[in-house]
Amino acid sequence: MDFLSTPEAWISLLTLTVLEIVLGIDNIVFISILSGKLPQDQQKKARQLGLGLAMITRILLLLSISWVMTLTSPLFNIGSWVGINSGDWFEKLAISGRDLILIIGGLFLIYKSTHEIHHKLEGEDDEEGNVKAHSFWATIVQILILDVVFSLDSVITAVGMAEHIEIMIAAVVIAVIIMMISAGGISSFVNDHPTVKMLALSFLLLIGVSLLAEGLDQHIPKGYIYFAMAFSVLVEMLNLKTRKATKKEPVQLKNTLKK
């Protein structure tokens, strides 16, 4: 543990913690949307359990890092099935264990976000606005599936940035604790604002496409994705502020006319 006395170790811990939080934002959004479909008294428990499972998944993957890195070895090549036996495309069509996880996770995320968007637009709730009850454990299973996918990239990033497993695990634990504290506020905000929820579902759809592309060796720089998400959030915040201000104007006009 002598390495903790070096400034490099603390800088690595801080940087990795921030990065883990950034990489975990999409996980929080997904958990918030799924837990929002549960009865009110189960939502907090689902969020905490979902993030707790995410932390356990990441720690287990870190502890089995030698196995995780073997996932990058090709299992089969789609190119050989379609008659491509050389060149860049042959290399891009080689599918590893990591690619399979990303492809399956991406397809699941695309399906889930599309299903939720359809649900919101088509108005499948009953006329009284009651939300159909969802199974607590079915929700947890869905969260766990995506935890594995999101954790895989997070762990590979951690390995590339830190030398000591203790720093990686500490960064994961700190990041998840911070996410647990903020998850309630994020979940309430997303569920209280329909347009924000639709935007969040669009983000999940975008991330699903990104995961699918990554699994097919078509790398999309995450900086572009995060910039697009941040810009969209900024625009939505301005829209919310504008709508809030607009609601006050009719009252002011009525008072003026009365005078």
Side-chain angles (χ1 to χ4, degrees):
M1 300 292 286
D2 293 339
F3 61 87
L4 288 177
S5 60
T6 62
E8 291 80 4
W10 290 102
I11 292 172
S12 177
L13 176 61
L14 178 61
T15 305
L16 193 53
T17 300
V18 172
L19 197 59
E20 289 290 330
I21 293 172
V22 172
L23 291 173
I25 289 174
D26 43 15
N27 208 356
I28 293 179
V29 171
F30 183 77
I31 290 173
S32 297
I33 291 173
L34 282 185
S35 62
K37 301 174 75 66
L38 294 171
Q40 189 69 33
D41 60 330
Q42 294 183 351
Q43 291 181 13
K44 182 177 179 180
K45 182 180 178 182
R47 287 194 302 269
Q48 301 296 328
L49 184 55
L51 287 170
L53 288 171
M55 180 174 67
I56 293 171
T57 301
R58 294 183 187 190
I59 291 174
L60 290 176
L61 286 174
L62 283 170
L63 293 175
S64 57
I65 194 62
S66 58
W67 172 77
V68 171
M69 298 315 292
T70 63
L71 292 176
T72 57
S73 302
L75 298 175
F76 56 89
N77 197 304
I78 299 176
S80 60
W81 300 351
V82 294
I84 301 175
N85 297 312
S86 61
D88 292 340
W89 273 106
F90 183 74
E91 294 182 7
K92 290 180 181 295
L93 292 174
I95 303 298
S96 65
R98 173 180 176 273
D99 294 335
L100 274 179
I101 293 174
L102 292 177
I103 290 171
I104 294 171
L107 290 173
F108 177 76
L109 204 53
I110 291 171
Y111 161 76
K112 192 63 185 177
S113 52
T114 302
H115 175 75
E116 291 296 324
I117 290 173
H118 172 80
H119 176 82
K120 293 299 175 187
L121 292 178
E122 293 297 323
E124 293 178 5
D125 297 348
D126 60 32
E127 294 180 356
E128 297 180 358
N130 296 323
V131 180
K132 180 182 177 181
H134 286 71
S135 167
F136 178 82
W137 289 109
T139 299
I140 294 300
V141 168
Q142 292 181 66
I143 291 173
L144 182 58
I145 292 172
L146 264 296
D147 278 345
V148 173
V149 179
F150 290 137
S151 296
L152 192 62
D153 263 1
S154 173
V155 167
I156 292 174
T157 300
V159 173
M161 291 193 61
E163 297 180 0
H164 301 282
I165 190 73
E166 295 87 349
I167 291 179
M168 300 178 203
I169 292 176
V172 166
V173 173
I174 294 171
V176 171
I177 290 173
I178 292 173
M179 287 190 287
M180 282 182 172
I181 295 172
S182 60
I186 293 174
S187 182
S188 298
F189 184 78
V190 168
N191 290 321
D192 291 344
H193 297 83
T195 55
V196 173
K197 191 166 188 176
M198 190 62 66
L199 185 63
L201 289 169
S202 301
F203 287 165
L204 292 178
L205 187 60
L206 176 63
I207 294 166
V209 172
S210 173
L211 291 175
L212 183 60
E214 190 78 23
L216 295 172
D217 202 22
Q218 300 297 312
H219 181 63
I220 302 174
K222 284 186 170 59
Y224 295 159
I225 296 175
Y226 289 139
F227 175 79
M229 291 170 65
F231 182 76
S232 300
V233 169
L234 176 62
V235 172
E236 182 58 25
M237 293 302 101
L238 293 174
N239 283 335
L240 288 174
K241 188 173 182 180
T242 301
R243 284 197 294 269
K244 187 176 180 180
T246 304
K247 288 180 181 179
K248 296 179 180 179
E249 288 180 6
V251 178
Q252 294 173 351
L253 287 173
K254 286 182 180 179
N255 290 338
T256 303
L257 291 173
K258 286 180 179 179
K259 291 179 180 179

